[in-house]
Amino acid sequence: MNRKEPDHLNLLFDMGELASIITSGSDIEAFLTGAGELVAKHLQAHVCSIYLFNSRSKELVLKATRGLKPEAVDRVRMLPGEGLVGRCFSQDQVLRVGNARTSPGFKYFDNAGEDAFNSFLCVPIRRGVEKIGVLVVQHREIDHFTLLDERALRTAATQLAGAIENARLLMALAPEPTDVNIDADTISKKFPAFIKGKSDGYGLASGTIRPSRRKRKTILFEADTSDITYSLADFQTAVEKTTDELKTLQDKFAASLPESESLIFTAHFMMLKDKNFTGKMKTLIEQGTSPVSAIQQVTLKYINVFSDNPNAYMQEKAVDVEDLGIRLLSHLKAVHTPKTPDRGTIFVTQDIYPSDMMKLTADGIRGIVLVSGGITSHVTILARSLSIPLIIADDPVFLDLPDTTRLLLDSGQGNIYINPDDNTLDMFKGKKEAEKRAKAREMLSATYTLDNRRIRLLANINLLSEIHLARELKAEGIGLYRTEFPFLIRSGFPSEDEQYLIYKGLFDKTEPGTVTTVRTLDAGGDKIIKHTDFIQEANPALGLRSIRFSLKYRQIFQTQIRAVLRAAHSREKVRLMFPLISAIDEFLAAKQVMAECIHQMAQEGVPHKSDPEVGIMIELPSVLATIDEFAQLADFFSIGTNDFIQYMLGADRGNKLVAEHYIPYHPAVNRGIAKVATAALAHGIDVSVCGEMAHEPEYIPFLLGVGITTLSVDPKFLPNVQTTVMETSFSRASAYAHRLLTQTRVKDAAAVLKTEPGK
């Protein structure tokens, strides 16, 4: 074998060669082809091909080749794990095969012209920790490539990775080629019939996809190519229909969500009356501009004005203008259209704010597919409160689905069906009926374990609309009212009187004589209040959040405490709880603010609750060292397991990259919970669990076993929690908890968790 081996494998290409292929090509495709020719030359290979990973379709696409048929570019596509190229990518390893066509898993493409080539060598192309593609060389000889060639190809992939990644990102901005012949199998793989996601709720939803904001806003730019001539009267009809639509949405919003502002569509209504907005549109139409063009011109002008404003609040108004312009154009075009197009009821998005969810609820959304996020984030909690099935599916394929696609969501299982068949729809109908029957099931007014130990079941409340369900399901009180949601869904801080009305609604709706626990503002972290001057923090979970925010901005803190205590006047069993307490000093400082508020209101003669019970939410490991001292000062503890696990293990609960490290049954978490419960019992104060663990059947026996006899969960979980408790033996749960507490390794704790603990 007469071969010239590379003599400098640590630097396969010199800088001149790299600069030449980057600067000399006429376009990105020419650069990639040049890179392939350079690799082929250095490794004396007959073929060099570059496959890039398309993150939207999740396919490896042939983007350049030297040696295969040019027409194979963009046509040859494989999924990760498919063929030798797909296996190299998915397994992140070099593959060297002496005779590719006889190798198991080899995928043949007749349009590529690979018949003459036997030896096959490929390496993954990486940019940092991200895999971006595969670099392949082929040779006619069998068993041609050596270990030295592997090292050389690795070096080539490393040297080219940065430039190839830039090329990949730029190519991703261009539209996908439409003339590529993709067979039916590829289409079915690209748009599968079923995708498994993550969910922490219940509920079923079915409907077509609501067009994304990006798709909906195209109506603001596209020229009107229809043969219809719209008149000034048509424009005025569109304004009237838009006004009526917004009024209907506003009424629905105010009726179902008393925490919201009374006029959430204020900006829309004002612009509909503004002589410089709709008035300017009317003038342009009277001067001969078509109504479609008039709406587009004025809307885009206002969007630009608001978007260019340095004030963040003003920038947000651009979204209101955009929404209003879309509604006006839609109603205008519907004047001469017999049927309004289906707007869709399943919302697919990469991100969503609580305020967006409130508007979507009023606007008829039945379900949400979130293509990112964590299952314990405030958005998913809010979705449960609004009874909107929400599934997190980390699959970009959803962003490519046409708006005509029908989705069926089963959030209890995390299942998403794409264009479901008749059998699946029949199954869906059956589950809907079963869900109705489950909701109708009567709960017992008191909950006992198998061996007659009394357990209290309380409700977590995010929105006042949930209180009715909590009472219907016989919750024994409110274990957690999250006060941040009225802040999150509004465009400004609610005043003392506005908060007073919300909290009065809370106390008025709860059963007299039952406990009501109000947690003060838990802002920050993943609960950013958009209208505040929050600094962009490098690590917001460890930044200015919760009680730290309240103690820094004492006027906001005092306003909230005054509103709560005013609303609680004449009520029994009122509890005030401070979140994210890290030290006794913080707890005492918060209690001092409350004492000052009580003193002020007494001097002012304002009726108020002067003796609420005061407690802390246990979320930080720092409190464990002084938990006995806390138990002497606090009236109660509530363990917020979501954050407690996150901070105990240093694993962001909303970060998919560290999801495997967020372990509720970790020995440190188990022992921490047990230590809190022991301290509370020793000092005679109440301790409850109000995080997600409280409704998980696999964790409830452990919680009972360490002595926790109060669980607080979202109302819809109450029936299942009661069933789990009533099937659990307290004495056996204690023995089970002891076994868990003796484990020091995660895998051993997991093994104990799989046993039958309480029966």
Side-chain angles (χ1 to χ4, degrees):
M1 187 182 297
N2 182 18
R3 301 182 58 204
K4 180 181 178 182
E5 300 287 5
D7 59 359
H8 51 296
L9 293 175
N10 290 329
L11 187 62
L12 187 65
F13 309 138
D14 61 36
M15 293 303 293
E17 288 178 310
L18 288 173
S20 175
I21 62 169
I22 291 172
T23 59
S24 62
S26 58
D27 55 28
I28 292 172
E29 288 75 12
F31 154 71
L32 291 174
T33 301
E37 290 174 349
L38 195 61
V39 172
K41 181 186 78 171
H42 275 273
L43 271 78
Q44 299 179 0
H46 295 126
V47 174
C48 180
S49 304
I50 297 174
Y51 291 81
L52 298 183
F53 182 64
N54 185 316
S55 59
R56 292 180 72 85
S57 67
K58 291 204 168 182
E59 294 172 308
L60 286 156
V61 183
L62 178 65
K63 282 297 183 182
T65 185
R66 185 265 199 197
L68 299 182
K69 293 179 180 179
E71 56 266 30
V73 172
D74 279 325
R75 285 183 166 81
V76 173
R77 297 171 174 236
M78 281 171 278
L79 295 172
E82 185 179 14
L84 298 178
V85 172
R87 195 199 321 167
C88 171
F89 182 83
S90 64
Q91 296 180 358
D92 194 24
Q93 64 179 22
V94 176
L95 286 182
R96 176 160 52 100
V97 178
N99 190 347
R101 284 180 294 175
T102 63
S103 175
F106 176 73
K107 187 173 178 67
Y108 177 72
F109 292 89
D110 57 6
N111 59 350
E114 292 183 285
D115 305 71
F117 308 107
N118 294 294
S119 289
F120 185 97
L121 174 64
C122 64
V123 300
I125 307 171
R126 302 185 67 94
R127 181 61 173 165
V129 299
E130 184 182 7
K131 294 180 291 186
I132 61 175
V134 176
L135 182 61
V136 179
V137 289
Q138 293 172 266
H139 199 280
R140 291 190 177 91
E141 289 183 1
I142 294 176
D143 294 322
H144 176 80
F145 297 115
T146 67
L147 183 61
L148 196 60
D149 292 312
E150 284 189 23
R151 293 172 57 196
L153 196 61
R154 279 184 184 274
T155 302
T158 300
Q159 288 180 274
L160 292 168
I164 288 177
E165 170 65 346
N166 288 329
R168 185 177 77 114
L169 294 174
L170 290 169
M171 293 171 85
L173 298 176
E176 286 283 313
T178 56
D179 60 342
V180 176
N181 295 320
I182 303 176
D183 58 31
D185 288 341
T186 303
I187 292 174
S188 66
K189 289 173 184 172
K190 187 174 182 180
F191 300 111
F194 169 81
I195 288 179
K196 183 76 171 179
K198 295 180 181 178
S199 178
D200 198 28
Y202 293 99
L204 303 160
S206 177
T208 55
I209 294 175
R210 170 74 59 94
S212 68
R213 178 183 166 198
R214 176 175 56 84
K215 291 179 181 177
R216 284 185 289 116
K217 69 189 294 184
T218 58
I219 197 173
L220 297 173
F221 302 93
E222 61 189 10
D224 182 22
T225 57
S226 69
D227 296 330
I228 300 172
T229 301
Y230 298 100
S231 65
L232 178 60
D234 293 333
F235 168 74
Q236 291 171 330
T237 298
V239 172
E240 291 171 5
K241 287 186 175 296
T242 301
T243 303
D244 291 341
E245 177 186 45
L246 292 172
K247 283 180 179 177
T248 300
L249 291 176
Q250 182 61 62
D251 291 342
K252 288 169 61 178
F253 199 72
S256 60
L257 299 163
E259 296 94 336
S260 66
E261 294 172 287
S262 58
L263 289 175
I264 195 167
F265 295 107
T266 299
H268 293 66
F269 288 121
M270 296 299 289
M271 284 187 287
L272 285 170
K273 300 176 183 298
D274 187 3
K275 64 181 181 181
N276 293 315
F277 189 73
T278 50
K280 179 62 175 176
M281 294 174 187
K282 180 181 177 183
T283 300
L284 287 172
I285 295 168
E286 290 172 338
Q287 293 174 350
T289 302
S290 74
V292 171
S293 181
I295 295 173
Q296 289 174 329
Q297 287 180 38
V298 177
T299 300
L300 292 173
K301 174 186 174 182
Y302 270 70
I303 289 173
N304 291 333
V305 168
F306 284 123
S307 297
D308 292 340
N309 194 297
N311 185 288
Y313 176 75
M314 295 299 289
Q315 290 173 8
E316 282 189 21
K317 293 295 104 181
V319 178
D320 289 334
V321 177
E322 179 185 292
D323 180 61
L324 185 56
I326 291 169
R327 291 180 188 274
L328 284 169
L329 284 167
S330 298
H331 284 296
L332 176 69
K333 294 186 176 185
V335 169
H336 297 288
T337 304
K339 184 180 179 182
T340 303
D342 182 14
R343 297 183 64 235
T345 54
I346 305 295
F347 190 58
V348 177
T349 182
Q350 288 180 290
D351 50 60
I352 188 170
Y353 292 101
S355 53
D356 299 327
M357 289 188 65
M358 314 309 277
K359 290 181 181 178
L360 287 168
T361 302
D363 208 12
I365 281 295
R366 297 177 192 162
I368 297 173
V369 176
L370 185 59
V371 194
S372 63
I375 60 171
T376 52
S377 72
H378 62 286
V379 168
T380 56
I381 291 172
L382 184 56
R384 286 205 304 255
S385 299
L386 294 167
S387 296
I388 299 178
L390 182 149
I391 298 177
I392 296 163
D394 189 18
D395 194 329
V397 70
F398 285 104
L399 302 176
D400 292 327
L401 293 174
D403 298 339
T404 54
T405 305
R406 175 168 289 277
L407 297 182
L408 193 158
L409 311 185
D410 182 352
S411 63
Q413 301 296 320
N415 294 341
I416 305 172
Y417 301 89
I418 300 173
N419 289 324
D421 57 24
D422 291 341
N423 289 335
T424 304
L425 289 172
D426 288 342
M427 178 188 71
F428 173 77
K429 292 176 183 176
K431 290 198 75 169
K432 286 284 270 187
E433 291 300 319
E435 192 178 68
K436 289 179 182 178
R437 290 193 296 271
K439 285 182 178 178
R441 188 182 71 190
E442 282 288 320
M443 277 186 66
L444 299 175
S445 56
T447 306
Y448 294 88
T449 63
L450 279 173
D451 43 2
N452 214 35
R453 179 63 67 97
R454 180 79 159 84
I455 305 297
R456 284 198 310 163
L457 300 185
L458 308 178
N460 293 342
I461 298 297
N462 308 306
L463 302 172
L464 299 186
S465 56
E466 294 177 281
I467 297 175
H468 174 73
L469 179 60
R471 291 186 62 171
E472 190 177 80
L473 294 174
K474 299 182 174 63
E476 299 179 62
I478 307 300
L480 170 64
Y481 174 62
R482 296 181 171 104
T483 60
E484 60 269 15
F485 283 101
F487 289 79
L488 290 168
I489 63 179
R490 301 165 74 96
S491 60
F493 272 117
S495 66
E496 180 179 323
D497 286 338
E498 287 174 319
Q499 289 186 64
Y500 163 77
L501 292 174
I502 294 170
Y503 305 140
K504 188 174 186 301
L506 170 72
F507 291 117
D508 287 347
K509 291 174 184 291
T510 53
E511 191 78 33
T514 59
V515 64
T516 304
T517 308
V518 179
R519 183 178 69 185
T520 59
L521 182 62
D522 188 19
D526 63 347
K527 295 186 280 287
I528 297 298
I529 299 173
K530 292 192 289 184
H531 49 272
T532 60
D533 295 326
F534 267 111
I535 299 170
Q536 293 296 318
E537 299 175 284
N539 192 341
L542 300 180
L544 186 65
R545 60 166 297 193
S546 303
I547 197 64
R548 298 170 183 175
F549 176 86
S550 295
L551 290 174
K552 182 176 178 64
Y553 297 100
R554 295 207 173 203
Q555 185 175 0
I556 295 172
F557 194 27
Q558 290 168 343
T559 297
Q560 181 176 38
I561 290 177
R562 284 175 60 96
V564 171
L565 296 181
R566 282 176 55 197
H569 173 60
S570 77
R571 292 285 304 202
E572 301 175 12
K573 297 184 180 179
V574 174
R575 290 179 164 184
L576 200 62
M577 179 164 64
F578 302 125
L580 211 73
I581 293 290
S582 64
I584 287 174
D585 311 68
E586 274 180 334
F587 182 50
L588 294 176
K591 287 183 70 175
Q592 179 60 33
V593 172
M594 184 193 74
E596 291 170 0
C597 290
I598 290 172
H599 179 69
Q600 289 171 358
M601 288 187 287
Q603 287 190 321
E604 296 167 5
V606 175
H608 63 282
K609 179 76 173 175
S610 60
D611 59 346
E613 292 185 19
V614 183
I616 64 172
M617 179 167 273
I618 306 290
E619 298 165 278
L620 295 174
S622 62
V623 304
L624 297 179
T626 52
I627 196 67
D628 285 300
E629 287 80 1
F630 271 111
Q632 294 173 36
L633 296 169
D635 296 315
F636 65 93
F637 289 156
S638 183
I639 305 174
T641 54
N642 301 348
D643 273 333
F644 186 73
I645 298 166
Q646 170 175 270
Y647 289 119
M648 178 69 79
L649 304 180
D652 180 357
R653 56 194 171 102
N655 185 341
K656 64 182 180 181
L657 298 176
V658 294
E660 63 187 276
H661 298 286
Y662 184 85
I663 305 169
Y665 55 87
H666 191 288
V669 174
N670 294 337
R671 294 183 184 186
I673 291 172
K675 187 169 185 177
V676 174
T678 299
L681 292 170
H683 293 277
I685 68 171
D686 185 42
V687 57
S688 65
V689 172
C690 64
E692 304 293 321
M693 283 181 73
H695 72 246
E696 295 288 351
E698 59 186 329
Y699 303 129
I700 290 173
F702 169 75
L703 298 176
L704 302 185
V706 296
I708 292 170
T709 56
T710 302
L711 302 174
S712 189
V713 300
D714 286 8
K716 63 179 63 180
F717 295 127
L718 284 166
N720 288 339
V721 171
Q722 185 176 69
T723 298
T724 301
V725 170
M726 294 176 68
E727 293 176 349
T728 301
S729 161
F730 188 84
S731 58
R732 291 189 181 181
S734 298
Y736 166 74
H738 177 74
R739 290 202 308 276
L740 262 179
L741 292 171
T742 60
Q743 308 307 316
T744 58
R745 301 176 67 178
V746 171
K747 70 172 188 177
D748 294 334
V752 174
L753 198 69
K754 293 177 182 177
T755 63
E756 296 265 349
K759 297 180 182 179

